[in-house]
Amino acid sequence: MTTPDVTLDVDGLAKTYAGPGRTVEAVRDLTFRIERGEFVCIVGPSGAGKTTLLRCIAGLLGVSGGSITLDGAAVTGPPPGMAVVFQEYGRSLFPWLTVRRNIELPLKEKGLDKAGRTARVDAALEAVGLHDSADAHPWQLSGGMQQRVAIARAVAYEPSVLLMDEPFAAVDAQTRADLEDLVRTLWKRLGITVLFVTHDIDESVYLGQRVLVLSNRPTVILEDVAVDLPDERDQLQTRSSPSFADLRTHVYELVQLAKQGHRPGDG
Ligand code: ADP
Ligand code: MG
């Protein structure tokens, strides 16, 4: 038997939140693989378990069943080389550190010297358009700007696996387009593996090589949609192409089915 070069293997994942007097079965049976270097988007109804899935993959939440392996090793805690941009960005920055120090911190842990760290931080701040805010504290910035700091921190880290949970929900449309292209550029330049959760169907098709459409809770995969668009994407040309329109229509219809409670195998 040969072992394929799998980055991330989610096999039969189940997650039930059990609290006093309240049990929520968030994820029932999720199985999928992401090969090294793939860009995969996940869409699904609100409350479907997308954040739960990401937190399990990031090693921040224990699973109730099934397994998650990264490069063959079971994920039992935050894996090295993985960066996560959370949905609740405000809580992911240290309020007592400046923007620069927030971005620099993981680079220290990575062992980069001062000059290397400064160069990375400056480049990442430039890339997200925040070079003027390096010495500000997070609480002095708008929500969208805080989110860009969180993105800059992930970009500067140059992870091998990047998980993003609706990262652009709080930024304006123009910034969002720029950040989408930034993530695509980073992905291509570094050959990293990206798992990107979004509720924006157009965004999932624009960014991904595949779109995994999740069912309603308890979550399973409704369809694994291949995005057969050229690798060179352009905000205007790609989004106005007929194949883009076909794909977004298809994903849109799947998400509608998911919201109505449709499960795989239903007629
Ligand atoms: P999504 O990100 O797709 O909107 P979530 O993963 O945040 O979905 O939530 C999936 C389900 O699990 C929801 O019903 C939510 O209320 C529930 N849930 C999420 N976190 C917790 C928790 N810590 N305790 C109990 N239930 C939770
Ligand atoms: Mg969520």
Side-chain angles (χ1 to χ4, degrees):
M1 212 176 86
T2 57
T3 313
D5 191 18
V6 169
T7 294
L8 180 66
D9 204 339
V10 175
D11 191 11
L13 178 71
K15 176 64 189 178
T16 297
Y17 292 101
R22 186 169 176 265
T23 303
V24 179
E25 185 187 13
V27 175
R28 177 167 292 177
D29 185 6
L30 266 184
T31 299
F32 62 90
R33 277 178 173 202
I34 298 180
E35 308 288 328
R36 188 191 307 277
E38 266 194 302
F39 197 135
V40 176
C41 291
I42 293 187
V43 296
S46 175
K50 303 181 294 296
T51 297
T52 301
L53 168 67
L54 246 56
R55 294 185 73 85
C56 290
I57 293 173
L60 301 169
L61 195 60
V63 307
S64 313
S67 66
I68 299 172
T69 50
L70 187 65
D71 292 330
V75 172
T76 52
M82 185 182 278
V84 192
V85 177
F86 293 101
Q87 198 170 5
E88 65 288 18
Y89 49 86
R91 280 198 271 154
S92 75
L93 300 174
F94 295 115
W96 60 89
L97 293 180
T98 62
V99 165
R100 171 176 296 284
R101 297 274 173 259
N102 263 286
I103 300 172
E104 197 180 3
L105 192 63
L107 305 182
K108 276 189 184 164
E109 284 159 17
K110 217 177 185 181
L112 257 72
D113 65 17
K114 181 73 193 166
R117 296 199 302 265
T118 304
R120 289 252 197 119
V121 174
D122 287 340
L125 281 171
E126 188 71 42
V128 300
L130 282 180
H131 44 279
D132 291 338
S133 305
D135 300 319
H137 285 80
W139 43 269
Q140 295 172 302
L141 307 178
S142 70
M145 289 165 88
Q146 290 177 30
Q147 185 62 323
R148 281 189 278 154
V149 176
I151 293 162
R153 185 173 55 187
V155 166
Y157 187 68
E158 300 193 352
S160 53
V161 180
L162 177 59
L163 306 181
M164 301 186 99
D165 191 2
E166 306 198 11
F168 307 149
V171 299
D172 64 89
Q174 183 56 54
T175 306
R176 184 181 190 128
D178 291 344
L179 292 176
E180 285 169 355
D181 289 332
L182 171 67
V183 173
R184 289 261 324 165
T185 304
L186 184 77
W187 166 69
K188 269 193 274 182
R189 179 163 66 83
L190 300 175
I192 59 180
T193 308
V194 183
L195 185 56
F196 190 104
V197 169
T198 175
H199 61 258
D200 183 324
I201 288 157
D202 288 50
E203 181 168 79
S204 73
V205 173
Y206 180 71
L207 287 177
Q209 296 176 301
R210 282 156 65 199
V211 177
L212 304 179
V213 183
L214 301 188
S215 77
N216 242 339
R217 193 170 67 76
T219 305
V220 295
I221 295 205
L222 203 54
E223 194 173 310
D224 184 343
V225 180
V227 178
D228 50 355
L229 295 171
D231 239 8
E232 278 308 318
R233 307 221 175 145
D234 176 272
Q235 290 286 354
L236 292 177
Q237 271 163 30
T238 304
R239 286 175 187 267
S240 58
S241 71
S243 31
F244 184 87
D246 289 348
L247 281 161
R248 74 178 292 276
T249 302
H250 183 59
V251 175
Y252 182 86
E253 285 169 354
L254 285 169
V255 172
Q256 288 304 112
L257 286 172
K259 283 183 183 163
Q260 291 155 20
H262 186 94
R263 324 262 320 158
D266 289 359

